[in-house]
Amino acid sequence: MIARLLLALLLLLGLGAPARADDISVAGRGVVRVVTIASADGEIVGFGHGSGFAVGPNRIVTNAHVVELAARYPANVVIGVVPSEGNKSYRGRLIAYDARRDLALIEFVGVRLPPLTLFPGPVTDGEPVIALGYPGNVDLATAQSAEDYIRPLSPVRSQGGFAGRRAMSGVDVLLHTASIARGNSGGPLLDQCGRVIGVNSAITRAEEGDSTFGFAIANTDFAAFLREHGQEAMTTGVSCVSAEDRLKQDEEEAARRDAERAATTQTETQRATELRTAALEAARARQYWLRENFIAGATLLLVLGALAVGGAGLAASQGQKRRARGALAGGVVLTVAAVVLFFLRPTGPVNVPASAAAAATPAPTTPIAYGKLSCRIIPERSRINLSRVQDVTLDWGKDGCMNASTQYAENGRKWERILVPRNDQTVSLLEYRPEARIYTDNRYYLTASQMERVRQLRGTVTVKACSASEADRLQLQQQQNAIRAALPGRPDEWLSYDCTPGS
């Protein structure tokens, strides 16, 4: 009877505490408290708790010793999963147990949690590490009743340094100095970008002033445990770069690209000027040559005409009237031709020939791109922290219709669309800049309360499919502006792609 009451207590409503907007708080959305309640003959005979974290929307990893009683006495021990957000706790079911590695896998239903991402790469000596979980000594100091152990609360964070790798009973572990206590067992050990590098499992005893060290099951054994039990997990091998550092790098990279673009433009402009000047000088020289030849030709014709007229007079004096008429006619024609040729000589301003002008005009370096596009991820222009990314293909229409299904709203020189999923706690602001052929996926990892607000705003969006109506696109832009206002000032991740015409 008491066990049933305790189980009902696990489902009581509570207050969730929103996390701060940083990489560690993003990871904290998927951290849970794991509670075990043991009963026998209607009496509570044991109560314990530890920590855990999501590796799937409905799968939790924790330490085996946290749920040892549930593994030994499944009919008498209830497992409770208490998320860090929301207003409920949930009953869990043990589906995998590895005593040697001190790892266990729990399944539950009722809510979807955002899974944490694993980092399989090496950890550098002295690298900052962060522990998330529910230390028991904090609970003892703050808990007022049993309900406080099953009320959703944000996990406690502590930071230390990586102190080396060791082996414990044949299991690879990470030694660190982040402060942990009983209750942290099963919680994640994170790098500065919030990726899991280990599972906190034990601490050294602090005797006679000895320093305390924590032990976390290393990512190698943790990943092997997941593989052996068929549990997929998000994994990324990208080096950790803080959002501030990436923004600074992006600014420097943008400044470098702008400088290169300006230098290229200046070079092309200078080359075009030189080509136009050379073409103009060539045109002037040709005009001068033609004018001189026209004048010379006119002079020659005039001289020949005068000789013909003189010959006509001579023939007339000799009584050769027919010959005189022919010579006179020829002289008149030559004289008229000389006058016409003289007036036809090239004069006036000289223009650059159209072909030369076209050759001297710089071609646009980034033509506007529509139609089918192949877009390649550019890591140095992105912040890839938690996501698994791949290149994408687009079929872009000039009216902002993407893949003949999704309408984007025009915002200055770019097109935008905000995607709000039904289940996941991730909002994407998608952007496409046709003049630069750059496609960007800005990802915001939100708390449960933020997602609820954004989903409410998403419900007001009436433009679902593509539309050629400018009024519809303007309405979409206004509705998306309301969603944008509810998002944080900057995304947690941004994925930048360069697009080229593709099939």
Side-chain angles (χ1 to χ4, degrees):
M1 180 67 178
I2 298 177
R4 286 197 295 271
L5 290 176
L6 261 292
L7 178 59
L9 191 60
L10 284 171
L11 303 176
L12 287 175
L13 299 181
L15 297 176
R20 297 186 312 177
D22 64 3
D23 294 332
I24 306 304
S25 294
V26 167
R29 301 175 309 158
V31 176
V32 302
R33 187 197 296 269
V34 179
V35 178
T36 58
I37 304 170
S39 64
D41 299 326
E43 298 290 334
I44 299 296
V45 296
F47 175 85
H49 80 93
S51 304
F53 59 94
V55 290
N58 301 105
R59 296 285 180 90
I60 296 298
V61 164
T62 187
N63 282 149
H65 73 259
V66 172
V67 292
E68 180 181 2
L69 287 178
R72 294 172 60 185
Y73 310 105
N76 300 92
V77 179
V78 173
I79 299 176
V81 176
V82 188
S84 60
E85 307 182 299
N87 53 21
K88 287 185 177 181
S89 301
Y90 304 88
R91 182 167 183 169
R93 179 174 67 91
L94 185 63
I95 60 174
Y97 185 85
D98 187 333
R100 185 181 72 84
R101 291 194 180 102
D102 195 17
L103 292 172
L105 191 61
I106 299 170
E107 187 176 60
F108 67 99
V109 294
V111 68
R112 291 172 60 89
L113 295 182
L116 276 67
T117 298
L118 281 59
F119 178 69
V123 186
T124 306
D125 288 342
E127 176 181 335
V129 295
I130 299 93
L132 285 183
Y134 296 91
N137 51 7
V138 174
D139 291 325
L140 290 174
T142 60
Q144 303 297 316
S145 67
E147 292 185 22
D148 292 325
Y149 286 90
I150 49 139
R151 178 177 291 115
L153 292 171
S154 59
V156 177
R157 70 167 74 185
S158 59
Q159 181 167 324
F162 173 63
R165 296 180 87 96
R166 294 291 188 274
M168 291 180 61
S169 302
V171 178
D172 196 16
V173 295
L174 306 180
L175 187 64
H176 65 86
T177 60
S179 297
I180 59 175
R182 297 173 183 175
N184 276 105
S185 295
L189 184 68
L190 309 171
D191 65 9
Q192 295 181 87
C193 286
R195 289 92 60 90
V196 179
I197 58 175
V199 183
N200 284 313
S201 176
I203 56 174
T204 59
R205 294 184 178 182
E207 298 179 352
E208 298 181 359
D210 291 344
S211 297
T212 300
F213 291 88
F215 293 92
I217 301 162
N219 44 18
T220 49
D221 276 286
F222 173 49
F225 168 77
L226 295 180
R227 286 194 304 271
E228 289 173 8
H229 295 282
Q231 176 61 49
E232 294 185 357
M234 290 292 296
T235 303
T236 178
V238 179
S239 299
C240 177
V241 180
S242 70
E244 292 73 18
D245 288 343
R246 176 56 75 194
L247 286 171
K248 183 178 179 180
Q249 292 174 6
D250 288 350
E251 292 174 358
E252 294 173 349
E253 177 65 17
R256 185 189 64 79
R257 290 197 308 270
D258 290 342
E260 289 182 350
R261 191 178 300 114
T264 300
T265 301
Q266 183 179 2
T267 301
E268 291 179 349
T269 302
Q270 182 178 355
R271 177 177 175 275
T273 301
E274 292 173 352
L275 289 174
R276 289 178 64 87
T277 300
L280 185 59
E281 291 298 326
R284 286 173 177 168
R286 178 170 176 78
Q287 184 188 62
Y288 177 79
W289 179 80
L290 288 174
R291 184 171 63 247
E292 293 301 314
N293 279 275
F294 269 62
I295 293 174
T299 302
L300 178 60
L301 291 176
L302 185 61
V303 170
L304 293 175
L307 290 175
V309 171
L314 180 61
S317 67
Q318 296 175 351
Q320 299 175 1
K321 295 181 179 181
R322 186 175 180 180
R323 185 178 178 183
R325 285 194 298 270
L328 180 60
V332 171
V333 170
L334 290 171
T335 301
V336 170
V339 172
V340 171
L341 189 61
F342 178 78
F343 282 106
L344 288 178
R345 72 191 188 281
T347 58
V350 178
N351 295 319
V352 178
S355 59
T361 302
T365 55
T366 53
I368 294 177
Y370 298 98
K372 295 185 183 297
L373 304 169
S374 296
C375 301
R376 179 175 60 89
I377 187 71
I378 307 298
E380 60 270 19
R381 212 168 57 219
S382 306
R383 185 178 191 238
I384 306 170
N385 187 15
L386 306 177
S387 299
R388 182 183 301 158
V389 299
Q390 58 185 3
D391 296 345
V392 299
T393 57
L394 303 177
D395 189 352
W396 192 262
K398 291 186 178 181
D399 58 356
C401 178
M402 192 269 285
N403 293 348
S405 60
T406 305
Q407 181 63 53
Y408 281 53
E410 195 169 7
N411 184 2
R413 301 175 66 182
K414 60 185 177 182
W415 294 86
E416 295 180 340
R417 183 71 191 224
I418 299 177
L419 299 184
V420 182
R422 293 179 181 271
N423 298 315
D424 297 335
Q425 287 183 225
T426 303
V427 173
S428 288
L429 170 58
L430 307 176
E431 300 176 342
Y432 180 60
R433 288 186 285 161
E435 83 287 351
R437 295 189 303 198
I438 293 178
Y439 181 72
T440 306
D441 182 354
N442 301 283
R443 298 184 177 180
Y444 299 81
Y445 297 108
L446 305 182
T447 64
S449 59
Q450 288 174 323
M451 283 301 305
E452 181 179 1
R453 172 59 178 160
V454 170
R455 288 192 178 108
Q456 290 175 350
L457 294 171
R458 175 63 178 84
T460 66
V461 176
T462 55
V463 180
K464 307 294 184 181
C466 290
S467 174
S469 168
E470 292 187 8
D472 286 348
R473 296 201 296 268
L474 179 60
Q475 183 181 19
L476 176 62
Q477 179 184 1
Q478 293 170 346
Q479 293 166 342
Q480 289 198 145
N481 286 342
I483 300 177
R484 181 197 282 271
L487 298 176
R490 63 164 175 79
D492 297 285
E493 286 188 307
W494 48 95
L495 282 57
S496 184
Y497 300 81
D498 276 349
C499 300
T500 56
S503 59

